[in-house]
Amino acid sequence: MTKTQVAPSLLAADFTRLGEAVDMVNRSEASYIHIDVMDGVFVPNITIGFPIIKSISTIASKPLDVHMMVVDPGRFVGMVRDCGAEFMNVHAEACTHLSSVVESIRRAGMRPAVTLNPATPVGMLQDIITQVDMVLLMSVNPGFGGQSFISTTLEKVVRLRELIRETGSGALIEVDGGVNLQTAPALVDAGADILVAGSYVFNAADPARAVAELAKLTPRV
Ligand code: DX5
Ligand code: ZN
């Protein structure tokens, strides 16, 4: 049985102690560090940019999962690569030529991932699913941490799992938004591989333990 992978989202960390937050993730059972880039246009918020991601990459021992909540993310493939990202996550809604962007991420030596907002149907990935290494399903409308989980995401995970099976794609399924110990078990049952968690991890008294609790979840058959 494959273990659930956890990607703590630094958005919920104390930014005055970012280094300590990265250290915590390094020492925890997390598989990735999730970094949220926002441009104030695609989403109504602005967060971290490339200089900060570069600094994080110098002390991170876990691979970076960079979630680009920006208009036309294809403009930034080179800059994300220069930050040492493993996954570059682009929103399907933000790309006019999604297939070209995915290919340019791959050519840059990163693993391409496509993100879908809650209102975007899984079916739109039909003709691109075999080109991507990961699909990130948003379980909140992107822009802010600490929002409530949208439960219809569970059916989307099931539909995505089915699409992956039908097409023989190797894509991993990641879910982001409102993930905690209450919402995570059903996501894992539905077929999620990677759970992004911000507030649940960083607001916990023992963040590394919160990561471990998510990581030990396995599908209840
Ligand atoms: C929201 C971001 C998330 C956010 C999740 O737009 O993409 O990664 O940090 O935060 P929580 O886990 O608090 O919902
Ligand atoms: Zn995110």
Side-chain angles (χ1 to χ4, degrees), residues 34 36 67 69 176:
H34 184 87
D36 293 295
H67 178 192
M69 284 160 275
D176 183 7

Side-chain angles (χ1 to χ4, degrees), residues 83-96:
C83 290
E86 167 103 358
F87 282 105
M88 177 168 173
N89 251 305
V90 296
H91 272 258
E93 305 87 359
C95 299
T96 307

Side-chain angles (χ1 to χ4, degrees), residues 144-217:
F144 300 92
Q147 303 182 77
S148 301
F149 180 77
I150 297 172
S151 59
T152 47
T153 312
L154 290 169
E155 293 139 44
K156 287 178 81 171
V157 174
V158 171
R159 281 199 296 275
L160 178 56
R161 177 56 63 211
E162 182 61 14
L163 179 64
I164 287 170
R165 197 189 55 73
E166 279 168 16
T167 55
S169 161
L172 295 162
I173 301 178
E174 182 176 49
V175 181
D176 183 7
V179 172
N180 55 42
L181 213 50
Q182 275 69 54
T183 55
L187 284 169
V188 172
D189 289 348
D193 300 297
I194 306 174
L195 302 176
V196 176
S199 7
Y200 175 68
V201 167
F202 287 98
N203 294 346
D206 183 345
R209 187 175 167 171
V211 172
E213 278 168 353
L214 292 175
K216 72 170 182 241
L217 294 172

